[in-house]
Amino acid sequence: MDDLLTRLHERLRTGLPAEAVLTDPDVTASYAHDMASFCDAGAPAVVVLPSTVEQVQHIMRTATELRVPVVPQGARTGLSGAANASDGCIVLSLTKMDRILEISPVDRIAVVEPGVINATLSRAVGEHGLYYPPDPSSWEMCTIGGNIGTASGGLCCVKYGVTAEYVLGLDVVLADGRLLSTGRRTAKGVAGYDLTRLFVGSEGTLGIVVRAVLALRPQPPQQLVLAAEFPSAAAACDAVCAVMERGHTPSLLELMDRTTVRAVNRLGRMGLPESTEALLLAAFDSPEPAADMAAVAELCTAAGATQVVPAEDAAESEMLLKARRMSLTALEAVKSATMIDDVCVPRSRLAAMIDGTAAIAAKYDLTIGVCAHAGDGNTHPVVCFDHTDPGESRRARESFDEIMALGLELGGTITGEHGVGVLKKEWLARELGPVGVELQRGIKQTFDPLGILNPGKLF
């Protein structure tokens, strides 16, 4: 093993700058895991930080030659363990590949490297009057490569869709070091199998994304937000269904339950109404949002809202969005640890999902806050627990599994945007079924016959 380690380090250094190869165990240990709970992580043999495509190719050729597993990483803000190291692996951090290579207002595309921060890209294209819609709550930290790897969503998905809908083409370094280009930079294109979509959400198990062609939209007007307070989560969900049934297209439709509202107030002193059982935020970014805002206010009132307050200006709207973006951080402060679920159900079953989660919280005597991309039916139940208490930790894990089971029973999926990683791979098999698993394993074998790309993830 020591001989292999020595050979690995020496071989990597032949194609990488010395500072791009990290071997100090105290340093490499800091790259061992992402932000997920209950996910095992191993000890990396080395961490590499390439800055060019050619360097990534060298790393993968070395890994193939020596049969060493490779775990690709971005900012490690993921919540499923997909970026967790395995023992003796090469951790391939793509954070140094952070250039925006092109922004084209005519073609409405951006060409970027995987280490570009989501918010950095959004601000850069905004200077050209353009808009990159996917905006995960961690957008100030997460990378485009990580967003592609997990098929991330965000607050605006109800109108604009998820990351997969904006990835037009990719450059991918395969397991053996070959460079594959997929997709296009044209507005239309249907040549061959859609390999681009195959890589989106593959969590680094099929190849290493080193460049992406992303679709952009014209910059919309500043959105205005409406806040509606409800006496129950079910009433708020009725309002969500009514908004969608009537054909409205909000740019955002988010829900925070009572536990989440109180946590946000404690952490951020936001002044949200603590009397509420559910707070619904609806936003519109149309040129004239007043009519939509008034119509949604009426639907909320009809569904039982006790108070409906439209933001007066962009600053007040941003304050409400800040509260929503703070939800996960605030719930993390409730106890010493959290498990953040990501179950998506049909919108028509949203109330059953949230009420069922509340019943699970009561059953296990746990605090479980729910924030949700309600317009998508994408719920984020956050299980708060004391990780030093073995009994409470066990109940947290059991409640997490029950929440996922509930989602499948309601016709949903175990993940809408966070991915599978380590945390949910047993549940992926349940959702896909044996035929689905067999075919997906076959795809993995085609792209990675040695099984060195992010082993132990997904399956």
Side-chain angles (χ1 to χ4, degrees), residues 182-208:
T182 76
R184 64 196 193 280
R185 53 182 290 147
T186 57
K188 296 165 66 177
V190 294
Y193 295 129
D194 191 347
L195 296 182
T196 303
R197 280 290 185 113
L198 183 60
F199 281 104
V200 178
S202 65
E203 301 184 28
T205 61
L206 301 180
I208 310 297

Side-chain angles (χ1 to χ4, degrees), residues 88-413:
C89 76
I90 299 170
V91 164
L92 199 171
S93 173
L94 294 154
T95 54
K96 299 296 184 183
M97 297 181 68
D98 60 355
R99 295 180 301 161
I100 298 174
L101 302 171
E102 179 186 353
I103 297 172
S104 172
V106 173
D107 294 327
R108 293 184 182 173
I109 62 168
V111 183
V112 306
E113 292 182 328
V116 172
I117 300 297
N118 184 295
T120 300
L121 175 62
S122 294
R123 294 184 181 113
V125 302
E127 294 177 3
H128 296 266
L130 297 169
Y131 177 45
Y132 179 67
D135 63 340
S137 294
S138 58
W139 77 312
E140 293 282 6
M141 300 177 286
C142 64
T143 63
I144 295 298
N147 295 167
I148 291 170
T150 57
S152 297
L155 305 187
C156 70
C157 296
V158 62
K159 180 175 182 178
Y160 293 105
V162 296
T163 295
E165 295 170 61
Y166 294 88
V167 181
L168 297 178
L170 295 171
D171 284 356
V172 182
V173 175
L174 300 177
D176 59 8
R178 289 179 297 165
L179 183 63
L180 168 70
S181 292
T182 76
R184 64 196 193 280
R185 53 182 290 147
T186 57
K188 296 165 66 177
V190 294
Y193 295 129
D194 191 347
L195 296 182
T196 303
R197 280 290 185 113
L198 183 60
F199 281 104
V200 178
S202 65
E203 301 184 28
T205 61
L206 301 180
I208 310 297
V209 172
V210 291
R211 193 167 296 161
V213 180
L214 304 174
L216 305 174
R217 288 174 174 256
Q219 182 80 46
Q222 177 70 48
Q223 63 184 353
L224 289 179
V225 179
L226 172 149
E229 180 181 354
F230 288 88
S232 68
C237 293
D238 286 344
V240 170
C241 292
V243 168
M244 302 309 292
E245 184 179 14
R246 297 294 178 88
H248 295 287
T249 55
S251 55
L252 172 148
L253 195 56
E254 298 287 306
L255 183 148
M256 300 159 64
D257 74 351
R258 178 183 183 181
T259 299
T260 305
V261 168
R262 293 190 171 191
V264 168
N265 277 345
R266 281 194 297 271
L267 181 66
R269 304 183 184 279
M270 301 297 293
L272 298 175
E274 294 211 359
S275 59
T276 186
E277 292 295 322
L279 185 68
L280 187 67
L281 303 178
F284 289 90
D285 60 3
S286 52
E288 299 292 338
D292 282 316
M293 299 275 280
V296 169
E298 288 184 11
L299 293 174
C300 287
T301 300
T306 54
Q307 187 174 14
V308 181
V309 180
E312 294 184 0
D313 52 31
E316 191 172 335
S317 293
E318 186 56 37
M319 184 273 292
L320 290 169
L321 295 184
K322 181 180 177 181
R324 171 61 186 88
R325 289 187 186 277
M326 193 187 296
S327 295
L328 297 182
T329 303
L331 288 166
E332 287 171 352
V334 172
K335 290 264 187 162
S336 65
T338 57
M339 290 190 73
I340 303 173
D341 218 322
D342 169 38
V343 177
C344 192
V345 297
R347 296 185 192 99
S348 58
R349 308 307 303 275
L350 184 59
M353 184 69 212
I354 293 177
D355 287 344
T357 299
I360 291 169
K363 174 182 175 180
Y364 287 97
D365 190 23
L366 291 167
T367 297
I368 303 179
V370 179
C371 51
H373 308 308
D376 304 320
N378 193 178
T379 67
H380 294 310
V382 181
V383 183
C384 308
F385 65 100
D386 181 355
H387 76 282
T388 66
D389 182 335
E392 193 162 306
S393 296
R394 174 186 52 77
R395 298 200 312 275
R397 183 66 210 226
E398 291 174 357
S399 71
F400 185 88
D401 285 342
E402 283 208 22
I403 290 168
M404 284 192 285
L406 173 63
L408 292 181
E409 289 170 10
L410 294 174
T413 175

Side-chain angles (χ1 to χ4, degrees), residues 28 32 41-46 85-89:
T28 59
V46 61
S86 54
D87 284 331
C89 76

